[in-house]
């Protein structure tokens, strides 16, 4: 969060509902409660300084400071020194009674720090006396910061993005995974845990693609959609990494606890619930011109975090193809009911059009279409088109084809015979596929309208 915008004081953070529910107790009694907080960060590492920039509220269970660790007091001292060095806003820990040695070390450290001459400049220590949800705390704090940022500088609505720090951190993580060599397994686990994600989770990759003219897909609107995606994941209580993708894209990795295997009901249910929550949030905030139209592409698979870059690339390809296919789909094939209920696209939804849309309009594709489309140039051209389309849908079953088209068998056979005379080939197999492909290319190069999600 830019320091020029709105901020929160530590006192105000303690008043946020998810924080207050944990009944936080200030261990460092002389610390300055009016120091500013610019975001929250969940950290499990024992030397967190290199991950921080200052003025962060650090949330942790201090998982590496185990009760049987012989150097526990020294490790805690180094941890706090790291936070002091970068000017962290505060350290808020959830340490339960089953860790009495660590609780005693925290109390002792707080007393020692309060006795120092510069005590008010040191990182305040807070202890949650009740179990809390760190994700809910970060959500509440980040939303409050964004709201204040908008109030503090309304001019930023005209295009300057306001990125949620958690989105920035997730973006850096995905970028590092995509770099040559990727990340060592331990570093990857530590960083994803610092973002509040399960260490051993599997993920469903999604890409949310903005639609519309350049004025509708500004970086500011992308940032707003990223906020909506994080809010949607929090609403359904599903851990998710939300990162910036290519231009006008948001990448989402939905954590699932399913074992490796086929993307089945569990995966679709996770995507459905997320997309429904995102749609609800977008509808609410679209009133204020914050969120543009969008569509969602999903790579129907469970992946590890290390596989995220490739899986997200697949989802992005599906989203881009879906955008072009939906924009070019002829009005006679547009189903208003489907447009109103469709929440996401997968490769199976695109079919052959998902491939052809990338070459439609190219010289080679135009040549192919010119070669095969003359079959449909006569007065009965539209009737022959319907024969081809329905034949593909019915798998060439003549009885089912006649029923779908509402034709008698003699009439159907007459029209099929005409197609065979015009092509010089039997109306089956590759000949049927060639005609169908030519029709798809024709449709994909015709003007159309993309519907809102």
């Amino acid at each position: 969060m830019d320091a020029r915008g709105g901020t929160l004081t530590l006192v105000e953070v303690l008043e946020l509902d998810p924080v207050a529910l944990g009944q936080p107790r200030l261990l460092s009694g002389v610390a300055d409660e009016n120091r500013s907080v610019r975001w929250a960060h969940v950290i499990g590492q024992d030397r967190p300084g290199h991950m921080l920039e200052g003025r962060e509220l650090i949330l942790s269970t201090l998982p590496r400071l185990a009760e049987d660790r012989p150097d526990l007091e020294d490790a805690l001292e180094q941890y706090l020194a790291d936070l002091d060095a970068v000017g962290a806003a505060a350290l808020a820990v959830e340490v339960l009674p089953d860790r009495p040695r660590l609780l005693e070390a925290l109390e002792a450290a707080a007393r020692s720090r309060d006795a120092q001459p510069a005590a008010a400049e040191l990182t305040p220590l807070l202890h949650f006396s009740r179990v809390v949800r760190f994700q809910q705390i970060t959500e509440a704090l980040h939303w409050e910061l964004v709201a204040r940022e908008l109030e503090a500088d309304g001019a930023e609505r005209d295009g300057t993005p306001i990125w949620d720090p958690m989105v920035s951190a997730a973006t850096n993580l995905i970028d590092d995974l995509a770099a040559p060599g990727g990340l060592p397994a331990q570093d990857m686990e530590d960083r994803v845990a610092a973002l509040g994600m399960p260490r051993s989770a599997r993920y469903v990759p999604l890409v949310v693609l903005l639609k519309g003219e350049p004025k509708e897909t500004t970086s500011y609107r992308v940032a707003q959609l990223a906020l909506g995606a994080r809010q949607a994941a929090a609403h359904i209580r599903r851990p998710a990494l939300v990162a910036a993708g290519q231009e006008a894209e948001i990448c989402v990795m939905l954590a699932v606890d399913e074992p490796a295997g086929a993307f089945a009901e569990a995966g679709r249910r996770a995507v459905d619930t997320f997309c429904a929550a995102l749609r609800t949030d977008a509808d609410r905030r679209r009133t204020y011109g914050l969120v543009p139209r969008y569509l969602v592409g999903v790579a129907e698979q469970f992946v590890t975090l290390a596989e995220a870059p490739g899986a997200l690339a697949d989802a992005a390809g599906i989203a881009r193809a879906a955008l072009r296919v939906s924009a070019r789909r002829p009005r006679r094939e547009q189903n208003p009911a489907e447009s109103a209920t469709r929440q996401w696209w997968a490769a199976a939804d695109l079919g052959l059009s998902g491939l052809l849309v990338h070459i439609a309009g190219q010289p080679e594709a135009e040549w192919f279409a010119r070669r095969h489309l003359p079959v449909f140039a006569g007065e009965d051209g539209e009737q022959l088109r319907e024969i081809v389309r329905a034949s593909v849908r019915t798998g060439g079953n003549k009885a089912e084809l006649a029923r779908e088209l509402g034709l008698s068998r003699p009439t159907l056979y007459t029209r099929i015979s005409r197609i065979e005379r015009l092509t010089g080939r039997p109306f089956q197999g590759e000949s049927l596929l060639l005609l169908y492909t030519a029709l798809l290319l024709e449709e994909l190069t015709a003007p159309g309208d993309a519907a809102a999600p």
Side-chain angles (χ1 to χ4, degrees):
M1 183 65 59
D2 192 316
R4 297 172 302 169
T7 60
L8 290 171
T9 66
L10 183 55
V11 171
E12 290 173 322
V13 170
L14 296 178
E15 293 174 349
L16 294 174
D17 287 345
V19 180
L21 287 173
Q23 297 179 356
R25 180 168 61 97
L26 186 63
L27 300 181
S28 299
V30 299
D32 180 9
E33 294 183 353
N34 292 315
R35 60 170 56 203
S36 63
V37 180
R38 68 185 181 115
W39 70 75
H41 204 357
V42 182
I43 293 182
Q45 294 178 320
D46 49 8
R47 294 301 300 266
H50 69 284
M51 303 180 64
L52 306 174
E53 297 180 2
R55 295 192 296 134
E56 298 97 341
L57 170 65
I58 308 304
L59 303 166
S60 184
T61 60
L62 301 177
R64 298 197 178 187
L65 300 185
E67 287 289 286
D68 59 353
R69 182 167 174 167
D71 64 338
L72 186 148
E73 289 79 7
D74 290 339
L76 177 60
E77 183 178 342
Q78 292 175 356
Y79 188 100
L80 296 174
D82 256 19
L83 300 186
D84 293 336
V86 297
L91 169 64
V93 296
E94 179 191 276
V95 179
L96 303 180
D98 61 349
R99 301 170 73 186
R101 185 180 167 213
L102 178 55
L103 283 172
E104 182 178 346
L106 283 167
E107 296 277 4
R111 291 192 298 269
S112 174
R113 291 162 71 82
D114 282 352
Q116 298 182 29
E121 299 177 7
L122 301 179
T123 303
L125 304 185
L126 295 156
H127 175 232
F128 289 112
S129 56
R130 297 178 60 184
V131 175
V132 293
R133 291 182 180 273
F134 287 165
Q135 184 177 0
Q136 292 181 1
I137 292 175
T138 58
E139 290 290 347
L141 187 144
H142 293 158
W143 276 105
E144 183 63 27
L145 286 172
V146 169
R148 295 192 179 200
E149 182 78 13
L150 290 173
E151 292 175 1
D153 190 358
E156 291 197 347
R157 298 187 181 205
D158 295 330
T160 302
I162 302 172
W163 287 101
D164 184 324
M166 295 294 280
V167 174
S168 297
T171 302
N172 292 336
L173 173 59
I174 298 298
D175 288 345
D176 289 346
L177 289 171
L183 284 174
Q186 188 61 51
D187 286 355
M188 179 178 63
E189 286 189 9
D190 289 344
R191 288 177 64 177
V192 75
L195 291 171
M197 304 295 291
R199 286 179 175 268
S200 59
R202 301 185 71 81
Y203 297 87
V204 178
L206 304 85
V207 168
V208 185
L209 175 62
L210 276 68
K211 301 162 66 173
E213 301 298 324
K215 65 180 181 180
E216 297 182 87
T217 58
T218 62
S219 54
Y220 170 78
R221 292 177 181 272
V222 177
Q224 287 296 312
L225 189 57
L227 286 172
R230 282 190 23 83
Q231 180 71 4
H235 179 75
I236 64 174
R237 299 184 182 278
R238 182 172 293 279
L241 291 175
V242 179
Q246 299 299 316
E247 184 176 359
E249 291 179 0
I250 295 297
C251 298
V252 180
M253 297 289 288
L254 285 181
V256 295
D257 55 7
E258 299 298 321
F263 184 92
E265 183 61 29
R268 294 187 180 91
R269 185 167 57 250
V271 177
D272 283 343
T273 54
F274 169 79
C275 288
L278 179 59
R279 182 185 292 242
T280 298
D281 181 81
D283 288 344
R284 175 177 60 83
R285 297 192 299 132
R286 187 172 291 139
T287 304
Y288 303 100
L290 298 178
V291 178
R293 298 172 296 158
Y294 66 88
L295 58 76
V296 180
V298 179
E300 294 183 285
Q301 54 185 316
F302 294 139
V303 300
T304 63
L305 188 61
E307 298 169 317
L312 288 170
D314 291 343
I318 291 170
R320 295 184 200 123
L323 178 62
R324 299 179 66 180
V325 169
S326 61
R328 298 299 183 182
R329 179 172 290 175
R331 292 187 181 277
R332 60 171 176 76
E333 292 188 4
Q334 293 181 3
N335 185 333
E338 179 188 6
S339 299
T341 58
R342 174 177 291 280
Q343 299 196 85
W344 48 280
W345 293 77
D349 301 316
L350 298 170
L352 185 56
S353 294
L355 172 64
L356 297 180
V357 73
H358 295 288
I359 64 171
Q362 298 296 318
E364 295 81 0
E366 292 178 350
W367 166 84
F368 181 90
R370 287 197 303 272
R371 167 64 180 81
H372 296 285
L373 287 176
V375 173
F376 311 106
E379 294 182 358
D380 57 351
E382 191 55 37
Q383 294 177 345
L384 302 186
R385 281 180 166 83
E386 288 303 318
I387 294 288
V388 171
R389 296 186 188 107
S391 294
V392 172
R393 291 195 298 268
T394 60
N397 183 297
K398 297 298 190 297
E400 188 174 344
L401 178 58
R403 284 196 299 271
E404 178 167 331
L405 295 175
L407 299 176
S408 65
R409 289 290 189 94
T411 301
L412 174 62
Y413 292 148
T414 297
R415 293 180 182 177
I416 290 176
S417 296
R418 174 163 171 72
I419 293 175
E420 291 177 335
R421 288 196 303 272
L422 291 170
T423 61
R425 304 179 65 177
F427 185 67
Q428 59 186 10
E430 184 176 353
S431 178
L432 173 58
L433 180 59
L434 291 174
L435 293 174
Y436 181 66
T437 302
L439 289 179
L440 288 178
L441 286 171
E442 180 185 47
E443 293 168 356
L444 292 172
T445 53
D449 300 314

